[in-house]
Amino acid sequence: MLRKILFVTLLVILLTTACGAVLPSSGNLTLTDGLGREVKLNGPAQHVVSLAPSNTEILFAIGAGGQVVGRDALSDFPAEAKNLIDIGSTFDALNTEQIVSLKPDLVLAAEINTPEQVKQLEALGLTVYYLKNPLTLEEMYGNLGIVGQLTGHEKEASTLTESLKARVAAVDQKIAPISSRPNVFYELMPPTRPSRIRPERVHSLPS
């Protein structure tokens, strides 16, 4: 009897892993988001609504695509994201009723979403994490780690980060021997008449 119980338990774990799902964790998560707010989760989020294309791509890139239940209208990559429920666009209107009906345990916002939208969703009883746009590669790696923590895919996020760092290092190594780099002045020419737009001009400056 004990052997049967152990076998069934192992089978469930293997099937869950094969489906890309994350086993619920009893550990609570508390992370500070881009608005300086403490966001608390009762373990990794299992049902996520993404409010920005950048967030959607990160979620799928770290293996959390199977946990995404809704995405904004502009999220069209990867192709699988198009099959998810469209909850509207931050530039038009978010379908808050649709978002609530999906019963997400995490709504992942980004800088294209306004703080007012975050407050509106929180007022509906939703947990919202605001992910700041990265300004450096290190900040981008940090965002991968954060989303990995939020969804229980820390290992995958770490592996992806190391892969990206290796690619960046390879590029740096190739361009290191280059001693001269052209300076470019980019000028936009305003139209002289409303009906005609003059072409842009690019000036190369001496090194």
Side-chain angles (χ1 to χ4, degrees):
M1 183 65 180
L2 179 60
R3 292 179 63 184
K4 283 186 177 181
I5 294 174
L6 290 174
F7 175 76
V8 172
T9 302
L10 179 60
L11 183 61
V12 170
I13 292 174
L14 289 174
L15 288 174
T16 304
T17 304
C19 293
V22 177
L23 293 176
S25 170
S26 58
N28 295 331
L29 293 174
T30 301
L31 296 174
T32 302
D33 74 354
L35 294 175
R37 301 153 50 250
E38 279 196 349
V39 178
K40 297 182 179 181
L41 291 175
N42 297 322
Q46 302 300 305
H47 302 92
V48 184
V49 168
S50 172
L51 301 185
S54 56
N55 290 348
T56 304
E57 291 186 32
I58 290 176
L59 287 161
F60 275 88
I62 65 171
Q67 292 152 249
V68 184
V69 295
R71 49 86 183 173
D72 72 295
L74 300 178
S75 289
D76 58 3
F77 185 86
E80 298 91 323
K82 297 179 182 179
N83 298 325
L84 298 171
I85 294 175
D86 184 340
I87 51 81
S89 169
T90 187
F91 299 115
D92 184 12
L94 293 174
N95 188 337
T96 54
E97 290 184 4
Q98 181 74 271
I99 295 174
V100 172
S101 72
L102 293 173
K103 299 180 180 179
D105 45 14
L106 175 66
V107 176
L108 193 59
E111 283 196 25
I112 66 171
N113 310 116
T114 65
E116 288 73 23
Q117 287 175 325
V118 172
K119 290 180 180 178
Q120 179 188 18
L121 293 171
E122 280 193 316
L124 296 173
L126 301 171
T127 300
V128 185
Y129 188 95
Y130 184 91
L131 194 67
K132 287 192 66 175
N133 289 344
L135 300 178
T136 64
L137 286 174
E138 290 303 321
E139 289 181 359
M140 181 190 72
Y141 302 145
N143 279 0
L144 293 177
I146 289 170
V147 180
Q149 284 183 274
L150 291 170
T151 59
H153 287 271
E154 293 155 284
K155 183 177 180 180
E156 293 91 334
S158 178
T159 300
L160 177 58
T161 296
E162 292 308 313
S163 173
L164 292 173
K165 286 182 177 180
R167 291 168 64 181
V168 170
V171 172
D172 287 341
Q173 187 176 12
K174 285 185 177 294
I175 66 175
I178 301 176
S179 58
S180 62
R181 300 173 186 175
N183 295 315
V184 176
F185 171 69
Y186 194 73
E187 180 182 4
L188 293 175
M189 299 297 295
T192 54
R193 290 179 294 178
S195 61
R196 181 185 176 191
I197 299 178
R198 296 174 62 185
E200 302 167 351
R201 296 191 303 182
V202 177
H203 304 274
S204 294
L205 301 178
S207 304

